[in-house]
């Protein structure tokens, strides 16, 4: 538990880093090509006001949108061995890591924060697709194990928000071993009797889907997110057929019984509050007071 | 041994000559007997030289050799009373993963393995060892059966990966693999896994969460095939050799990275040349590890230790 000694120290650098997008800027939606005023997009949680396209967002936006105002703190994650295979393709893995750190201002592809959601203690582990495609390596395993330990320590719920292409090839077999490692993490939370909710966002594929992301007590998908084990191009190359329309999208998974619900981003926080409330407070305060008043009435 | 790998061409040529000479000797020509002995010696030496310095890419070819012994061969030789159990009780029987009850050195075990199949027809029947969700769900059913009766589990890993298809996705390929991993982390009986050929990605780890993880000398274990890795990272499948090097997928790599507990060395020339010997070596290794695990007695410490084994992986490199 050595990592716990410094878990509450927030990453100052990440929190105060300069936002690069100027306030008065027009952006184009990738889906409908319509222009959107940047400030409107932020106010709408990066969902296109014209076509409802849910754009990819990172931990910063997620934490702010889901936790109670000013309630959350990021935790510093344990460091892992860097580039265990000395991997080099067209670029060295260490250089890729460096570039991604500079571009995203984040250390790794997962960030963990703890805080409250409707005053209920909650730990969120959030993947960042902008960081090497949200790929899962040793750091993701450590992050999930740390998030689970912290949730158990604080009797908090665990929420994972996945956004990933799958395993980090540059860590070879060690990235495959993160499937059992992250599964251990969510199993520990379950065995502690605490809720684990998995939120699947665009995209969630590969080893992440085939481990912690599909093991939630409740599994929520964002609208039209790509979710699957094999990527659509791999499948197309294997079966040499055009894929059915809507294949591997959230709504398709809902139809096939693979997720509990598809929830628009603007309703995600209230949905989590409702679910966590029912799981964590099975006896609501109002029904308890009803019982109390009945007992008082009969004794008088 | 009829099919030769491309780097075995010289060995193949020599064996051709040896065959001819043997034919001459058996038809009464004694003049060539000396030449035959000489050629046999140099064939053995060439085999040793070739297999002593196989590259990772060549090992991948050996690991995928169609004449390598498959799960069915191990089950036939190592188990008595082997009784396959079929179906996932939800949708179908998946022949890409076989499993059942049998006796290993006297005691009952549950044995589960990917089956690549033999011959063209057999390979199609077993879908080349690429399972659909039903295969993993059958495995979950058998893990739970073993746990209820306190029976050890042996898994034999040999798959290019989980099948990438429309129906597999529709029926929850990802969820099925995740449940198999979760189940294996939760059971209290000894689990031994051995990678006997190709340990391909999520389809492999679904059967690979164990107390002891063994691997044949020329087997490979990887998060992605070298071809797949090359086409993504190098954008060219011609760089598969480089990808095979970088990915570190051999049994020696697995020992160095602390992923496996033992590399079971194959006879020089590989399991496809010496299937009986290889199966016997695997049996001996499994027997030794199983005795050790059984010596620890039955307790829920087992799964705690199994989880810790995976939590520790990669943390002290
Ligand atoms: Zn739009």
């Amino acid at each position: 538990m050595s990592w716990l000694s410094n878990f509450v120290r927030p990453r100052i650098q990440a929190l105060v880093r300069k936002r690069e997008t100027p306030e008065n800027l027009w952006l184009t939606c990738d889906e409908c090509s319509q222009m959107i005023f940047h400030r409107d997009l932020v106010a709408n949680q990066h969902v296109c006001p014209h076509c409802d396209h849910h754009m990819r967002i990172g931990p910063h936006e997620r934490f702010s949108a889901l936790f109670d105002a000013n309630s959350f703190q990021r935790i510093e994650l344990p460091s892992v061995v860097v580039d265990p295979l000395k991997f080099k393709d067209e670029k060295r893995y260490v250089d890729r890591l460096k570039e991604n750190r500079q571009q995203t201002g984040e250390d790794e592809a997962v960030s963990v924060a703890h805080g409250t959601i409707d005053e209920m203690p909650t730990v969120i582990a959030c993947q960042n697709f902008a960081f090497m495609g949200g790929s899962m390596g040793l750091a993701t395993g450590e992050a999930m194990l740390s998030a689970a330990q912290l949730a158990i320590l604080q009797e908090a719920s665990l929420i994972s928000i996945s956004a990933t292409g799958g395993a980090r090839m540059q860590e070879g077999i060690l990235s495959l071993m993160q499937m059992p490692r992250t599964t251990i993490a969510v199993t520990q939370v379950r065995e502690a009797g605490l809720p684990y909710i998995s939120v699947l966002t665009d995209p969630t594929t590969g080893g992440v889907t085939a481990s912690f992301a599909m093991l939630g007590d409740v599994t929520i998908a964002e609208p039209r997110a790509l979710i699957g084990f094999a990527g659509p191009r791999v499948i197309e190359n294997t079966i040499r057929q055009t894929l059915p329309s809507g294949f591997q999208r959230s709504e398709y998974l809902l139809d096939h019984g693979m997720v509990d619900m598809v929830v628009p981003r603007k309703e995600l926080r209230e949905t989590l509050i409702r679910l966590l409330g029912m799981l964590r407070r099975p006896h609501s305060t109002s029904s308890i007071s009803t019982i109390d008043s009945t007992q008082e009435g009969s004794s008088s | 041994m009829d099919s030769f790998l491309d780097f075995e061409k010289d060995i193949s040529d020599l064996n051709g000559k040896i065959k001819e000479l043997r034919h001459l000797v058996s038809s009464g020509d004694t003049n060539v007997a000396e030449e035959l002995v000489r050629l046999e010696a140099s064939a053995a030496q060439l085999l040793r030289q070739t297999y002593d310095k196989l590259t990772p890419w060549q090992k991948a070819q050996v690991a995928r050799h169609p004449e390598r012994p498959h799960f069915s061969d191990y089950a036939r030789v190592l188990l008595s009373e082997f009784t396959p159990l079929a179906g996932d009780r939800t949708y179908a029987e998946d022949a890409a993963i076989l499993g059942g009850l049998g006796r290993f050195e006297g005691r009952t075990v549950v044995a589960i393995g990917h089956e690549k199949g033999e011959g063209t027809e057999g390979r199609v029947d077993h879908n080349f060892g690429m399972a659909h969700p039903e295969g993993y769900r059958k495995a979950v059913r058998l893990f739970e059966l073993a746990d209820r009766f306190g029976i050890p589990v042996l898994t034999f890993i040999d798959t290019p990966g989980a099948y990438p298809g429309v129906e597999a996705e529709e029926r929850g390929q990802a969820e099925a693999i995740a449940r198999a991993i979760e189940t294996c982390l939760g059971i209290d009986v000894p689990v031994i896994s051995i990678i006997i050929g190709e340990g391909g990605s999520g389809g492999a780890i679904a059967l690979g969460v164990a107390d002891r993880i063994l691997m044949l000398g020329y087997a490979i274990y990887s998060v992605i095939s070298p071809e797949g890795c090359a086409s993504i990272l190098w954008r060219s499948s011609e760089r598969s050799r480089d990808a095979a090097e970088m990915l570190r997928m051999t049994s020696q790599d697995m020992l160095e990275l602390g992923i496996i507990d033992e590399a079971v060395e194959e006879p020089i020339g590989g399991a496809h040349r010496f299937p009986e010997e290889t199966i016997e070596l695997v049996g001996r290794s499994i027997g030794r590890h199983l005795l050790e695990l059984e010596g620890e007695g039955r307790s829920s410490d087992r799964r705690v230790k199994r989880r810790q084994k995976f939590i520790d992986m990669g943390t002290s490199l």
Side-chain angles (χ1 to χ4, degrees):
Chain A
M1 288 236 212
S2 59
W3 65 275
L4 279 174
S5 54
N6 59 3
F7 80 89
V8 281
R9 206 181 309 144
R11 298 203 50 76
I12 304 291
Q13 185 202 346
L15 289 178
V16 301
R17 78 177 196 277
K18 215 168 64 209
R19 311 289 300 152
E20 281 133 31
T21 326
E23 282 292 295
N24 53 348
L25 190 81
W26 289 89
L27 299 163
T28 312
C29 172
D30 286 339
E31 275 305 300
C32 69
S33 308
Q34 298 229 49
M35 302 283 282
I36 315 160
F37 198 43
H38 180 258
R39 213 160 41 198
D40 294 343
L41 190 63
V42 172
N44 209 29
Q45 293 194 53
H46 297 264
V47 175
C48 173
H50 307 290
C51 73
D52 199 42
H53 172 51
H54 283 56
M55 299 178 187
R56 289 168 183 168
I57 55 175
H60 178 82
E61 290 82 4
R62 293 282 180 192
F63 293 152
S64 313
L66 295 177
F67 281 115
D68 297 338
N70 304 315
S71 83
F72 78 88
Q73 258 189 323
R74 288 185 180 225
I75 66 166
E76 185 139 21
L77 294 166
S79 57
V80 296
V81 57
V82 179
D83 192 12
L85 307 187
K86 308 273 170 283
F87 199 99
K88 179 175 173 291
D89 45 80
E90 286 174 328
K91 224 179 246 177
R92 295 195 309 161
Y93 174 38
V94 281
D95 293 335
R96 275 188 204 272
L97 278 174
K98 210 177 289 172
E99 277 170 31
N100 277 272
R101 282 179 182 146
Q102 277 162 2
Q103 282 162 9
T104 60
E106 303 276 1
D107 260 1
E108 253 293 346
V110 189
S111 303
V112 177
H114 68 114
T116 57
I117 294 184
D118 193 30
E119 294 176 9
M120 293 175 281
T122 308
V123 174
I124 301 181
C126 181
Q127 292 187 305
N128 187 357
F129 192 77
F131 194 108
M132 288 192 76
S135 53
M136 175 163 74
L138 279 160
T140 300
E142 273 329 294
M144 288 304 295
L145 286 163
S146 302
Q149 262 188 287
L150 184 58
I152 293 163
L153 203 73
Q154 299 186 334
E155 292 186 44
S157 311
L158 176 66
I159 297 172
S160 69
I161 301 173
S162 49
T164 176
R168 186 169 294 174
M169 282 174 282
Q170 292 89 347
E171 293 187 14
I173 195 70
L174 290 162
S175 68
L176 191 68
M177 292 306 131
Q178 305 317 309
M179 292 171 68
R181 292 179 95 229
T182 56
T183 301
I184 291 166
V186 299
T187 301
Q188 287 170 337
V189 172
R190 173 172 306 169
E191 286 172 353
L194 298 160
Y196 163 50
I197 296 182
S198 172
V199 179
L200 311 171
T201 77
D202 185 63
T204 299
T205 59
V208 171
T209 326
S211 56
F212 68 93
M214 269 296 169
L215 295 172
D217 292 309
V218 177
T219 304
I220 301 173
E222 277 203 329
R224 288 178 298 285
L226 175 76
I227 302 163
F229 179 62
R233 248 171 302 166
V234 175
I235 297 171
E236 221 156 19
N237 288 338
T238 308
I239 62 168
R240 308 209 173 273
Q241 279 168 18
T242 320
L243 299 171
S245 89
F247 180 61
Q248 291 185 317
R249 297 287 162 181
S250 301
E251 297 73 14
Y252 195 88
L253 271 84
L254 184 68
D255 282 348
H256 286 88
M258 290 303 146
V259 296
D260 288 291
M261 58 188 94
V262 178
V263 177
R265 193 171 290 165
K266 64 174 185 294
E267 293 167 22
L268 185 56
R269 180 176 141 87
E270 62 187 76
T271 305
L272 290 170
I273 288 174
R274 199 166 64 243
L275 287 168
L276 292 175
M278 285 190 277
L279 291 171
R280 305 217 58 177
R281 302 164 178 156
H283 309 287
S284 79
T285 40
S286 60
S287 67
I288 287 168
S289 63
T290 313
I291 292 163
D292 285 347
S293 62
T294 320
Q295 283 169 337
E296 275 170 25
S298 61
S299 65
S300 63
Chain B
M1 251 311 301
D2 287 328
S3 48
F4 283 86
L5 302 167
D6 56 358
F7 60 86
E8 295 180 319
K9 187 170 181 313
D10 292 347
I11 300 169
S12 159
D13 291 349
L14 256 182
N15 280 9
K17 278 181 202 154
I18 290 170
K19 225 181 205 172
E20 276 172 42
L21 286 185
R22 275 194 193 133
H23 187 72
L24 289 176
V25 170
S26 67
S27 57
D29 188 342
T30 47
N31 297 332
V32 293
E34 214 170 290
E35 174 72 355
L36 178 60
V37 171
R38 197 185 62 79
L39 274 188
E40 279 174 340
S42 58
Q45 197 193 5
L46 186 61
L47 191 65
R48 174 172 290 277
Q49 280 169 353
T50 307
Y51 272 76
D52 269 352
K53 51 178 177 55
L54 288 186
T55 65
W57 174 247
Q58 288 169 332
K59 283 181 186 170
Q61 309 311 307
V62 175
R64 294 166 174 172
H65 198 291
E67 284 161 39
R68 240 177 128 75
H70 295 148
F71 169 65
S72 301
D73 302 310
Y74 288 91
R76 196 181 54 244
V77 178
L78 298 179
L79 305 177
S80 57
E81 298 178 55
F82 181 58
T83 309
L85 301 173
D88 73 336
R89 299 298 180 274
T90 302
Y91 185 81
E93 156 66 358
D94 183 348
I97 292 179
L98 300 179
L101 288 162
R103 285 187 183 275
F104 175 78
E105 293 174 354
R107 88 251 306 148
T108 307
V109 296
V110 160
I112 308 171
H114 302 98
E115 174 58 54
K116 284 187 168 179
E118 221 134 313
T120 311
E121 211 173 299
R123 280 193 277 279
V124 171
D125 286 347
H126 293 278
N127 201 29
F128 306 89
M130 294 187 285
H132 283 71
E134 294 72 40
Y136 306 110
R137 291 186 179 130
K138 175 168 66 183
V140 166
R141 195 166 75 80
L142 297 182
F143 292 145
E144 287 171 346
L145 175 77
D147 197 33
R148 280 201 300 283
F149 289 89
I151 299 168
V153 178
L154 312 178
T155 71
F156 295 78
I157 295 168
D158 191 16
T159 179
Y163 185 67
V166 172
E167 294 187 337
E169 293 289 319
E170 283 179 351
R171 301 201 295 268
Q173 188 74 293
E175 195 264 355
I177 294 171
R179 291 288 169 212
I181 295 170
E182 183 191 42
T183 307
C184 255
L185 288 164
I187 60 179
D188 278 334
V189 292
V191 184
I192 298 176
S193 292
I194 176 156
I195 301 132
I196 54 171
E198 212 178 352
S201 192
I205 192 70
L207 300 186
V209 176
D211 303 309
R212 296 291 162 85
I213 305 167
L214 321 175
M215 183 168 176
L216 275 179
Y218 301 124
I220 54 168
Y221 198 10
S222 182
V223 69
I224 186 169
S225 70
E227 293 89 340
C229 180
S231 71
I232 295 171
L233 290 183
W234 279 270
R235 284 170 295 237
S236 154
S237 56
E238 281 157 33
R239 302 295 296 272
S240 303
R241 278 169 186 73
D242 299 312
E245 302 266 342
M246 286 313 325
L247 281 168
R248 307 269 317 263
M249 53 208 293
T250 70
S251 59
Q252 287 70 33
D253 294 325
M254 293 307 124
L255 278 176
E256 282 167 32
L257 294 168
I259 303 295
I260 62 169
D261 299 285
E262 187 190 336
V264 180
E265 289 310 326
E266 297 173 35
I268 298 289
H272 56 293
R273 278 195 178 75
F274 305 100
E276 293 90 0
E277 293 88 333
T278 305
I279 294 172
E280 199 191 313
L281 288 167
V282 166
R284 252 185 267 158
S285 175
I286 291 175
R288 199 171 60 246
H289 287 283
L290 196 48
L291 276 177
E292 280 177 23
L293 290 169
E294 284 168 334
E296 294 171 6
R298 192 185 183 197
S299 79
S300 56
D301 280 356
R302 186 123 46 207
R303 70 173 182 196
V304 175
K305 274 192 202 160
R306 190 180 310 135
R307 290 175 187 183
Q308 197 59 46
K309 176 187 178 74
F310 281 87
I311 289 172
D312 291 343
M313 267 184 200
T315 55
S316 53
L317 290 172

